[in-house]
Amino acid sequence: MKKRKKNREQPPAPQEGLRCRGRVWVEKDVETFIGFGRVVLLEKIREHGSISRAAQAMQMSYRHAWKLVDSMNRHAGSPLVVASKGGSGGGGAQVTAEGERMIDRFAELRCRLDRFLVEQTALLFR
Amino acid sequence: MKKRKKNREQPPAPQEGLRCRGRVWVEKDVETFIGFGRVVLLEKIREHGSISRAAQAMQMSYRHAWKLVDSMNRHAGSPLVVASKGGSGGGGAQVTAEGERMIDRFAELRCRLDRFLVEQTALLFR
């Protein structure tokens, strides 16, 4: 076998300014189940205790936010958001333990994607 | 240390029907340089020998296709597409060796993303 020079063992630096970017989401039966926007919505529901206030905070219609929550709840093994019977101010909404788990799992997935993209940036353009 | 039962050593099966999906692209100085649509455009230019016929095949305006080619050429180390001086039918366009290299590199990147997504599907939801 040929001896390689030591400087060939290092992957060459990528072309300056190039960067791999990416997006990841999870489908259930070919429909979107969890993605970045949906996780932000879950976090806003946790923060505000209400779908309508979460929607407002995201400049999203209540109808759209409700549809996203309904889609997540239908696709999950158990609901990610439940209605909480309210007092005089009307009912709110709570993120369940399963919802919290999904928020965490999606954060982990995005973290691993970020690592993957850093590796690919180093690998690709040499 | 506790002994683990053998069936705990296997990663549990992901929830049925769940699948990680993703998209990847390459930016140069925070602008898109190469992505899926741009690579399809390069392949269509190779096939048709012309930006306008490639645009037509993709149901894209010539103006939009031309802008994408211009963006790729400006961001690449050397042009990915060059005008070929035509005969009576007017000038065409050719994908350069650097363009072919980008097509291949992007295919490899998508391949690695697909592998990553299969791994993540197995890892995530257990």
PDB file of all heavy atoms in Angstrom, chain A residues 67-85:
ATOM      1  N   LYS A  67     -56.287  23.811  14.059  1.00  0.00           N
ATOM      2  CA  LYS A  67     -56.093  22.697  13.101  1.00  0.00           C
ATOM      3  C   LYS A  67     -54.772  21.974  13.343  1.00  0.00           C
ATOM      4  O   LYS A  67     -54.694  20.753  13.229  1.00  0.00           O
ATOM      5  CB  LYS A  67     -56.117  23.218  11.660  1.00  0.00           C
ATOM      6  CG  LYS A  67     -57.517  23.395  11.101  1.00  0.00           C
ATOM      7  CD  LYS A  67     -57.427  23.790   9.640  1.00  0.00           C
ATOM      8  CE  LYS A  67     -58.795  23.724   8.976  1.00  0.00           C
ATOM      9  NZ  LYS A  67     -58.712  24.057   7.547  1.00  0.00           N
ATOM     10  N   LEU A  68     -53.710  22.752  13.622  1.00  0.00           N
ATOM     11  CA  LEU A  68     -52.396  22.138  13.880  1.00  0.00           C
ATOM     12  C   LEU A  68     -52.450  21.284  15.146  1.00  0.00           C
ATOM     13  O   LEU A  68     -51.940  20.162  15.176  1.00  0.00           O
ATOM     14  CB  LEU A  68     -51.314  23.221  14.007  1.00  0.00           C
ATOM     15  CG  LEU A  68     -51.003  24.015  12.732  1.00  0.00           C
ATOM     16  CD1 LEU A  68     -49.940  25.071  13.012  1.00  0.00           C
ATOM     17  CD2 LEU A  68     -50.531  23.107  11.606  1.00  0.00           C
ATOM     18  N   VAL A  69     -53.079  21.823  16.191  1.00  0.00           N
ATOM     19  CA  VAL A  69     -53.205  21.068  17.451  1.00  0.00           C
ATOM     20  C   VAL A  69     -54.025  19.800  17.203  1.00  0.00           C
ATOM     21  O   VAL A  69     -53.654  18.703  17.645  1.00  0.00           O
ATOM     22  CB  VAL A  69     -53.858  21.944  18.552  1.00  0.00           C
ATOM     23  CG1 VAL A  69     -54.270  21.089  19.758  1.00  0.00           C
ATOM     24  CG2 VAL A  69     -52.896  23.048  18.983  1.00  0.00           C
ATOM     25  N   ASP A  70     -55.117  19.941  16.483  1.00  0.00           N
ATOM     26  CA  ASP A  70     -55.972  18.784  16.191  1.00  0.00           C
ATOM     27  C   ASP A  70     -55.199  17.723  15.419  1.00  0.00           C
ATOM     28  O   ASP A  70     -55.287  16.527  15.710  1.00  0.00           O
ATOM     29  CB  ASP A  70     -57.189  19.260  15.387  1.00  0.00           C
ATOM     30  CG  ASP A  70     -58.131  18.113  15.068  1.00  0.00           C
ATOM     31  OD1 ASP A  70     -58.599  17.468  16.030  1.00  0.00           O
ATOM     32  OD2 ASP A  70     -58.364  17.839  13.878  1.00  0.00           O
ATOM     33  N   SER A  71     -54.391  18.156  14.448  1.00  0.00           N
ATOM     34  CA  SER A  71     -53.584  17.220  13.645  1.00  0.00           C
ATOM     35  C   SER A  71     -52.566  16.500  14.538  1.00  0.00           C
ATOM     36  O   SER A  71     -52.404  15.271  14.456  1.00  0.00           O
ATOM     37  CB  SER A  71     -52.888  17.989  12.523  1.00  0.00           C
ATOM     38  OG  SER A  71     -51.825  17.226  11.995  1.00  0.00           O
ATOM     39  N   MET A  72     -51.881  17.253  15.411  1.00  0.00           N
ATOM     40  CA  MET A  72     -50.903  16.618  16.313  1.00  0.00           C
ATOM     41  C   MET A  72     -51.603  15.622  17.230  1.00  0.00           C
ATOM     42  O   MET A  72     -51.128  14.508  17.427  1.00  0.00           O
ATOM     43  CB  MET A  72     -50.184  17.680  17.149  1.00  0.00           C
ATOM     44  CG  MET A  72     -49.190  18.501  16.335  1.00  0.00           C
ATOM     45  SD  MET A  72     -48.140  19.570  17.367  1.00  0.00           S
ATOM     46  CE  MET A  72     -49.144  21.047  17.492  1.00  0.00           C
ATOM     47  N   ASN A  73     -52.743  16.024  17.787  1.00  0.00           N
ATOM     48  CA  ASN A  73     -53.461  15.138  18.718  1.00  0.00           C
ATOM     49  C   ASN A  73     -53.946  13.860  18.022  1.00  0.00           C
ATOM     50  O   ASN A  73     -53.872  12.779  18.597  1.00  0.00           O
ATOM     51  CB  ASN A  73     -54.647  15.867  19.343  1.00  0.00           C
ATOM     52  CG  ASN A  73     -54.230  16.732  20.505  1.00  0.00           C
ATOM     53  OD1 ASN A  73     -53.082  16.672  20.957  1.00  0.00           O
ATOM     54  ND2 ASN A  73     -55.142  17.556  21.005  1.00  0.00           N
ATOM     55  N   ARG A  74     -54.433  13.988  16.804  1.00  0.00           N
ATOM     56  CA  ARG A  74     -54.922  12.813  16.085  1.00  0.00           C
ATOM     57  C   ARG A  74     -53.781  11.861  15.743  1.00  0.00           C
ATOM     58  O   ARG A  74     -53.948  10.646  15.754  1.00  0.00           O
ATOM     59  CB  ARG A  74     -55.662  13.224  14.801  1.00  0.00           C
ATOM     60  CG  ARG A  74     -57.098  13.686  15.054  1.00  0.00           C
ATOM     61  CD  ARG A  74     -57.839  13.970  13.767  1.00  0.00           C
ATOM     62  NE  ARG A  74     -57.271  15.081  13.017  1.00  0.00           N
ATOM     63  CZ  ARG A  74     -56.543  14.969  11.912  1.00  0.00           C
ATOM     64  NH1 ARG A  74     -56.299  13.801  11.394  1.00  0.00           N
ATOM     65  NH2 ARG A  74     -56.057  16.054  11.316  1.00  0.00           N
ATOM     66  N   HIS A  75     -52.591  12.413  15.415  1.00  0.00           N
ATOM     67  CA  HIS A  75     -51.480  11.560  14.980  1.00  0.00           C
ATOM     68  C   HIS A  75     -50.679  10.973  16.137  1.00  0.00           C
ATOM     69  O   HIS A  75     -49.978   9.980  15.954  1.00  0.00           O
ATOM     70  CB  HIS A  75     -50.550  12.341  14.049  1.00  0.00           C
ATOM     71  CG  HIS A  75     -51.176  12.635  12.720  1.00  0.00           C
ATOM     72  ND1 HIS A  75     -51.271  13.901  12.216  1.00  0.00           N
ATOM     73  CD2 HIS A  75     -51.759  11.825  11.805  1.00  0.00           C
ATOM     74  CE1 HIS A  75     -51.874  13.854  11.036  1.00  0.00           C
ATOM     75  NE2 HIS A  75     -52.183  12.607  10.768  1.00  0.00           N
ATOM     76  N   ALA A  76     -50.771  11.584  17.317  1.00  0.00           N
ATOM     77  CA  ALA A  76     -49.976  11.102  18.450  1.00  0.00           C
ATOM     78  C   ALA A  76     -50.655   9.895  19.098  1.00  0.00           C
ATOM     79  O   ALA A  76     -51.865   9.696  18.942  1.00  0.00           O
ATOM     80  CB  ALA A  76     -49.812  12.217  19.474  1.00  0.00           C
ATOM     81  N   GLY A  77     -49.850   9.104  19.802  1.00  0.00           N
ATOM     82  CA  GLY A  77     -50.394   7.970  20.552  1.00  0.00           C
ATOM     83  C   GLY A  77     -51.407   8.436  21.596  1.00  0.00           C
ATOM     84  O   GLY A  77     -52.459   7.840  21.778  1.00  0.00           O
ATOM     85  N   SER A  78     -51.074   9.546  22.276  1.00  0.00           N
ATOM     86  CA  SER A  78     -52.026  10.183  23.188  1.00  0.00           C
ATOM     87  C   SER A  78     -51.901  11.689  22.996  1.00  0.00           C
ATOM     88  O   SER A  78     -50.867  12.168  22.524  1.00  0.00           O
ATOM     89  CB  SER A  78     -51.738   9.760  24.632  1.00  0.00           C
ATOM     90  OG  SER A  78     -50.486  10.262  25.041  1.00  0.00           O
ATOM     91  N   PRO A  79     -52.953  12.469  23.334  1.00  0.00           N
ATOM     92  CA  PRO A  79     -52.966  13.900  22.988  1.00  0.00           C
ATOM     93  C   PRO A  79     -51.749  14.667  23.507  1.00  0.00           C
ATOM     94  O   PRO A  79     -51.236  14.369  24.583  1.00  0.00           O
ATOM     95  CB  PRO A  79     -54.242  14.412  23.661  1.00  0.00           C
ATOM     96  CG  PRO A  79     -55.112  13.218  23.795  1.00  0.00           C
ATOM     97  CD  PRO A  79     -54.189  12.051  24.010  1.00  0.00           C
ATOM     98  N   LEU A  80     -51.302  15.647  22.720  1.00  0.00           N
ATOM     99  CA  LEU A  80     -50.181  16.511  23.110  1.00  0.00           C
ATOM    100  C   LEU A  80     -50.700  17.765  23.819  1.00  0.00           C
ATOM    101  O   LEU A  80     -49.963  18.413  24.560  1.00  0.00           O
ATOM    102  CB  LEU A  80     -49.358  16.920  21.884  1.00  0.00           C
ATOM    103  CG  LEU A  80     -48.859  15.791  20.963  1.00  0.00           C
ATOM    104  CD1 LEU A  80     -47.864  16.340  19.952  1.00  0.00           C
ATOM    105  CD2 LEU A  80     -48.245  14.651  21.759  1.00  0.00           C
ATOM    106  N   VAL A  81     -51.958  18.116  23.538  1.00  0.00           N
ATOM    107  CA  VAL A  81     -52.587  19.304  24.135  1.00  0.00           C
ATOM    108  C   VAL A  81     -53.994  18.901  24.580  1.00  0.00           C
ATOM    109  O   VAL A  81     -54.691  18.207  23.831  1.00  0.00           O
ATOM    110  CB  VAL A  81     -52.675  20.453  23.097  1.00  0.00           C
ATOM    111  CG1 VAL A  81     -53.477  21.636  23.649  1.00  0.00           C
ATOM    112  CG2 VAL A  81     -51.286  20.918  22.670  1.00  0.00           C
ATOM    113  N   VAL A  82     -54.366  19.307  25.772  1.00  0.00           N
ATOM    114  CA  VAL A  82     -55.748  19.067  26.230  1.00  0.00           C
ATOM    115  C   VAL A  82     -56.374  20.374  26.680  1.00  0.00           C
ATOM    116  O   VAL A  82     -55.673  21.289  27.138  1.00  0.00           O
ATOM    117  CB  VAL A  82     -55.819  18.047  27.406  1.00  0.00           C
ATOM    118  CG1 VAL A  82     -55.483  16.633  26.937  1.00  0.00           C
ATOM    119  CG2 VAL A  82     -54.908  18.460  28.557  1.00  0.00           C
ATOM    120  N   ALA A  83     -57.697  20.448  26.526  1.00  0.00           N
ATOM    121  CA  ALA A  83     -58.435  21.614  27.004  1.00  0.00           C
ATOM    122  C   ALA A  83     -58.458  21.572  28.523  1.00  0.00           C
ATOM    123  O   ALA A  83     -58.613  20.511  29.112  1.00  0.00           O
ATOM    124  CB  ALA A  83     -59.856  21.578  26.466  1.00  0.00           C
ATOM    125  N   SER A  84     -58.242  22.709  29.155  1.00  0.00           N
ATOM    126  CA  SER A  84     -58.398  22.762  30.608  1.00  0.00           C
ATOM    127  C   SER A  84     -59.651  23.584  30.874  1.00  0.00           C
ATOM    128  O   SER A  84     -59.782  24.706  30.384  1.00  0.00           O
ATOM    129  CB  SER A  84     -57.166  23.381  31.263  1.00  0.00           C
ATOM    130  OG  SER A  84     -56.906  24.659  30.738  1.00  0.00           O
ATOM    131  N   LYS A  85     -60.577  22.987  31.617  1.00  0.00           N
ATOM    132  CA  LYS A  85     -61.840  23.691  31.928  1.00  0.00           C
ATOM    133  C   LYS A  85     -61.503  24.941  32.729  1.00  0.00           C
ATOM    134  O   LYS A  85     -60.886  24.860  33.792  1.00  0.00           O
ATOM    135  CB  LYS A  85     -62.758  22.772  32.733  1.00  0.00           C
ATOM    136  CG  LYS A  85     -63.035  21.444  32.049  1.00  0.00           C
ATOM    137  CD  LYS A  85     -64.332  21.493  31.257  1.00  0.00           C
ATOM    138  CE  LYS A  85     -64.387  20.424  30.149  1.00  0.00           C
ATOM    139  NZ  LYS A  85     -64.373  19.058  30.684  1.00  0.00           N
TER     140      LYS A  85
END
